[in-house]
Amino acid sequence: MRILSISFPLPNVAIDNYNPLTAPNYNDYDALIIDPAGIDRVVREVIEEGKEFEAFDGRPVLNVPGSATVAGIAEQLRRRLEETRRLLEAGGLVVVFGRPDAFQHGVVGFEGCDRYHWLPAPGGMSWSTPWLRAGEGKTVRIADEHHPMSAVLREFRSEVGWRAWFDERQAEFRRHGRPIALGGSGVPIAAEFEVLGGRVVFIPAMSESYGTPRTNLAQALVDACRQMAGVDTGAEAPYWVRSVAVPGLEQVEAELEEAAAAEAAARERLAAVQERHDALARHRGLLWKDGPGFGEAARAALQALGFAVVSRPGEPLAVQSEDVLAFVELESASGQVVEWPYIRLQRRIEAELLAGRPAPRGLIIANGYRDREPEQRSGELSDPLIRACENYRYALVTARTLFELVRRALGGADDAALLGMRRRLLNGAGLLEAPKLLGLEDEEAPETGPIF
């Protein structure tokens, strides 16, 4: 459970501590603990004392209209209402240290800023008079022993110094409020409300203690929030519990262990089968994917034919077979594939020549009209692309053709057949069809080398 504390520092690993100007989105948490007095305190520090704060996104917080480089105080405060509303709509929890409402003047663009501008209220109520009134006292009497916050108030009774109380004579409070603790003459000083599907809990203000008392208070509040959210506090049973006999429990525990072992074995088998499934299903991506997905499918297809991929991740694809290096260019388009893969391939090969290295072979894998069924893709490659590959003796294959080779490889082609496919791909020039690559057509004269 993720808890955000605003203007009331609580040392606990489950709690993030901020003030209303520096905090991230309230609705990024499951529960919110807040002292409303911290709102006017931090605003006063900026306006009157010139104290500097930095918003969660790194912008300085100033008493000016907000911009791309500056976070205005009004901007930071106004957004908290929508964030709290979304937190409550998601079933979240808001714990408020009860304070009387008060206005903070001097905020540019937010003259109506008060302590509770950020907190939605039940229908017909607000968090000000006549429902929430100012008051002071130390008396605490628990009214609801079953509420998780009652344990906090009982344990830290000496820390309580309540500053506000609810008027139980108001009909809206009687309809919406659930008293948790009472002060002098029985006035509610702690209460719970259902708001927008979530819960708002008011508890009395606490003294500014430090060290161990504050650490203990933080843990108590975390435990109470978890109980209200239905989350297990995580406490471990003492060592002797397992030695206490419960009729039938030992047999059920044995069945549970057996079921857990069966589940683990099933998960292991599922993972293995899923891995094999994904490896085979990836080849379908040759026929319809583009971008990185098409590149992954093409790489897997070439490896299925026995090519070794020698390029590093992020580099243009290069493969090798029998010490013959080939640069591979890929293109998948919703329309016709034109000359761009040829141009990229030519530039890569020319760069090798200019660097004084031998020219590698060239292979282009193109997938035109990828949204159509494979049988309806006539004219998927442009004539200039086909002629350029013929002239420069680059092998050009459609994704459909490569898919047919992969199916033959997965269907049980032996090493000699795979070697023949690789050699025909590396030595081919121009558009190559499946029958030729499978050795079902007479071989043409060997290539005479690229023309540069």
Side-chain angles (χ1 to χ4, degrees):
M1 184 178 190
R2 303 188 68 224
I3 303 174
L4 175 64
S5 181
I6 299 295
S7 299
F8 193 81
L10 292 168
N12 192 281
V13 294
I15 299 177
D16 291 342
N17 293 282
Y18 291 92
N19 69 45
L21 301 183
T22 62
N25 278 20
Y26 290 178
N27 56 298
D28 197 34
Y29 292 82
D30 304 300
L32 172 67
I33 301 174
I34 186 167
D35 185 349
I39 297 175
D40 44 69
R41 182 172 61 248
V42 74
V43 169
R44 187 170 58 252
E45 288 176 345
V46 175
I47 297 176
E48 299 178 4
E49 303 175 16
K51 190 171 182 179
E52 297 182 358
F53 291 100
E54 187 177 277
F56 193 75
D57 62 5
R59 292 178 297 167
V61 181
L62 303 176
N63 191 27
V64 297
S67 67
T69 56
V70 174
I73 294 179
E75 168 196 347
Q76 293 296 93
L77 296 180
R78 285 183 183 276
R79 56 181 270 199
R80 304 307 181 185
L81 173 60
E82 178 63 21
E83 294 171 4
T84 308
R85 177 179 287 113
R86 288 182 176 272
L87 169 64
L88 291 170
E89 288 175 345
L93 170 67
V94 177
V95 178
V96 185
F97 291 101
R99 305 276 187 178
D101 196 12
F103 285 89
Q104 177 60 51
H105 301 286
V107 179
V108 174
F110 195 4
E111 292 303 323
C113 178
D114 69 309
R115 284 178 171 174
Y116 292 102
H117 69 274
W118 55 274
L119 183 61
M125 279 188 63
S126 70
W127 306 117
S128 59
T129 55
W131 299 278
L132 183 62
R133 299 178 178 272
E136 300 85 20
K138 292 284 293 181
T139 303
V140 179
R141 297 202 304 272
I142 303 301
D144 186 349
E145 293 287 349
H146 301 291
H147 197 281
M149 279 298 172
S150 63
V152 178
L153 298 177
R154 185 182 297 105
E155 182 178 355
F156 297 92
R157 190 188 301 265
S158 61
E159 304 288 321
V160 170
W162 55 270
R163 297 293 179 265
W165 56 280
F166 288 98
D167 189 347
E168 81 284 5
R169 295 170 298 183
Q170 300 295 325
E172 291 83 1
F173 176 81
R174 294 196 302 272
R175 182 163 59 251
H176 299 293
R178 171 189 171 186
I180 301 171
L182 308 175
S185 70
V187 296
I189 58 173
E192 178 181 313
F193 304 85
E194 290 189 6
V195 182
L196 300 175
R199 289 193 283 182
V200 175
V201 177
F202 276 76
I203 61 175
M206 299 281 183
S207 64
E208 292 291 335
S209 58
Y210 299 95
T212 301
R214 179 59 68 96
T215 301
N216 294 339
L217 173 60
Q219 186 60 54
L221 287 170
V222 169
D223 292 342
C225 289
R226 285 175 172 168
Q227 290 180 42
M228 282 186 280
V231 177
D232 190 351
T233 59
E236 294 185 5
Y239 70 91
W240 49 262
V241 168
R242 290 187 63 85
S243 64
V244 178
V246 177
L249 178 58
E250 185 175 350
Q251 178 182 353
V252 174
E253 286 179 339
E255 294 177 5
L256 181 62
E257 291 179 2
E258 182 180 349
E263 180 188 19
R267 288 185 178 277
E268 184 177 350
R269 180 173 178 273
L270 174 62
V273 174
Q274 186 71 53
E275 183 178 356
R276 286 163 37 215
H277 169 274
D278 294 345
L280 293 172
R282 185 183 300 120
H283 295 301
R284 288 175 173 163
L286 275 174
L287 301 176
W288 64 275
K289 287 190 176 182
D290 66 346
F294 182 66
E296 180 182 356
R299 179 187 296 259
L302 293 172
Q303 289 174 324
L305 298 181
F307 283 103
V309 175
V310 295
S311 53
R312 292 191 293 266
E315 293 181 345
L317 184 58
V319 297
Q320 193 171 30
S321 177
E322 297 184 295
D323 296 328
V324 177
L325 176 67
F327 283 174
V328 184
E329 281 297 326
L330 311 172
E331 187 82 8
S332 182
S334 56
Q336 187 182 65
V337 177
V338 294
E339 303 92 290
W340 291 115
Y342 150 72
I343 294 173
R344 295 195 301 267
L345 179 58
Q346 186 181 38
R347 289 173 178 171
R348 289 175 62 191
I349 293 178
E350 287 177 348
E352 290 294 295
L353 292 171
L354 292 174
R357 293 186 288 268
R361 304 293 173 87
L363 171 60
I364 295 175
I365 303 171
N367 189 39
Y369 300 115
R370 60 184 179 84
D371 297 322
R372 300 181 185 177
E373 293 185 17
E375 295 77 13
Q376 300 176 358
R377 298 184 185 181
S378 59
E380 63 178 299
L381 309 179
S382 70
D383 289 337
L385 172 61
I386 296 174
R387 289 196 300 270
C389 289
E390 291 173 351
N391 291 337
Y392 283 86
R393 305 199 63 79
Y394 300 153
L396 172 64
V397 295
T398 64
R400 291 181 296 151
T401 296
L402 184 58
F403 185 70
E404 288 301 320
L405 301 186
V406 171
R407 292 210 292 192
R408 182 64 62 93
L410 297 176
D414 57 23
D415 291 342
L418 294 177
L419 178 59
M421 294 181 204
R422 296 197 300 273
R423 286 179 175 176
R424 295 181 190 103
L425 275 172
L426 293 178
N427 295 323
L431 181 60
L432 305 176
E433 302 288 353
K436 178 179 180 61
L437 293 171
L438 292 172
L440 303 180
E441 293 182 358
D442 294 335
E443 297 286 350
E444 297 181 359
E447 49 91 9
T448 58
I451 303 173
F452 289 101

